[in-house]
Amino acid sequence: MNILEQFRLDDKVAIVTGGAMGLGQAMATALAQAGANIVIADIREDVAEATATTIRETEQVKTTALKVDVTNPEDVQKMVDDVVEEYGKIDILINNAGMTINEKAEDMTYEQWNKVINLNLNGVFLVAQAVGRQMIEQGYGSIVNTSSMSGIIANKPQEQCSYNASKAGVIMLTKSLAMEWSKYNIKVNTIAPGYMKTELTKPFFEQGGAMIDDWMGFTPMGRPGLPEELGGIVVYLASDASSFAQGSVFTIDGGYTAL
Ligand SMILES: NC(=O)c1ccc[n+]([C@@H]2O[C@H](COP(=O)([O-])OP(=O)(O)OC[C@H]3O[C@@H](n4cnc5c(N)ncnc54)[C@H](O)[C@@H]3O)[C@@H](O)[C@H]2O)c1
C-alpha cells in the first residue's frame, strides 16, 4: 500500500481517555483528521461533550462523548460496552488521562501518592485491560499509552516523585502488554512527551521565571511543544504505518532526554 495511505484511519474507531482537553483533545483531533471516528472518554462530561461536538463539526467524523472515571472499573467496562454497542468494535485506544501533584517526597502524604498512582498507572491498566479484552476478541487493535519523559528522567526543579514513578510504570506496563498481546495482533506503544504548552501550562510559559528557565535550559530546542505536535506520532502509532512498532517508547520532547 502507498505509504501515505497507510496512515489513513477511515472508519476506524478510537477511544481517547482524558480527551476533553489538553493533549488528549489534540490527539483526538489528529486521529479524526486521518478519518477515525472518535470517542471522548473523560470525567468532565460537559467539556467532553463540547470537544466531541467540535471535532464532529470540523472533521466530519462520528463522535461520542462518554462520562468515564478511568479509575472506576465499572465505568471503564461500561465505556467498552457502550462503544462496542454503538460502533461494533474498538480499533484504537489512546490511554491518556493523567495528573500530577508537586510535593517534596519527604512531605508527600500517602493519599497524594495514591491519587497520582491510581489515575496514572492503575487507570491506564484498567482501561488497557478492558479494551484489550475486546481487542483480543476482535483479533486486532492498537493501544497508545501516554507516559512522559518523566518516566525516563527526574524533572528539575519541581518535586513530583509519584508522577515520575507512575510514568515509569506506564512504560513497563506498555512493554509487558506488548509482550503478552503481540500474539493477538495488538500493538501497544507509549509516547513520552516533554514540556508541552497546553491551556493549563500556557500561563507559566508566558510568565517565565526560574522554573521555566530550567525547563527550557534543559530542552535543546529551547521551547515547549505544542499539543498538535503529538498528532503525527499518534496517527502513525494508531495506523498501519507502524505495523512493526511494538512495546516502544517514543519521546517527543524537543531533545530533553537526548542530553
Ligand atoms: N502537558 C504536558 O506537558 C505533559 C507532558 C508529558 C505527559 N503528559 C501527560 O499527558 C496526559 C494529558 O495531559 P494534559 O496536559 O493534556 O492534562 P490535562 O489536565 O489538560 O487533561 C487531562 C484530562 O484528563 C481528564 N481526567 C482527569 N481525571 C480523569 C479520570 N479519573 N477519568 C477520566 N478522565 C480524567 C481531565 O478531565 C482532562 O480532560 C497526562 O497523562 C499527562 O501526564 C503531559
Side-chain angles (χ1 to χ4, degrees), residues 17-24 41-44 68-71 96-99 119-120 146-149 163 167 192-198 200-201:
T17 70
M21 49 196 259
L23 305 186
D42 202 288
I43 200 163
R44 293 187 58 183
V68 181
D69 177 353
V70 298
T71 67
N96 167 75
M99 65 171 296
L119 177 57
N120 294 10
T146 304
S147 176
S148 165
M149 68 175 181
Y163 183 79
K167 293 300 184 179
Y195 290 115
M196 307 297 289
K197 194 175 181 178
T198 61
L200 284 184
T201 58

Side-chain angles (χ1 to χ4, degrees), residues 12 14 28 30 59 70 77 97 102 104 117 154 166 168 204-205 232 236 249 256 259:
K12 306 277 187 198
E59 311 306 337
V70 298
Q77 189 54 51
N102 290 351
K104 289 180 170 54
I117 297 291
S166 72
F204 297 114
F205 286 109
Y236 166 72
V249 186
Y256 195 110
L259 287 182

Side-chain angles (χ1 to χ4, degrees), residues 1-18:
M1 200 197 293
N2 171 286
I3 182 63
L4 283 181
E5 280 169 25
Q6 290 179 29
F7 284 84
R8 291 296 319 174
L9 297 173
D10 304 286
D11 301 319
K12 306 277 187 198
V13 178
I15 297 178
V16 183
T17 70

Side-chain angles (χ1 to χ4, degrees), residues 214-230:
D214 252 1
W215 289 6
M216 293 301 100
F218 281 107
T219 304
M221 291 180 82
R223 66 169 180 88
L226 299 174
E228 53 268 32
E229 291 184 292
L230 297 181

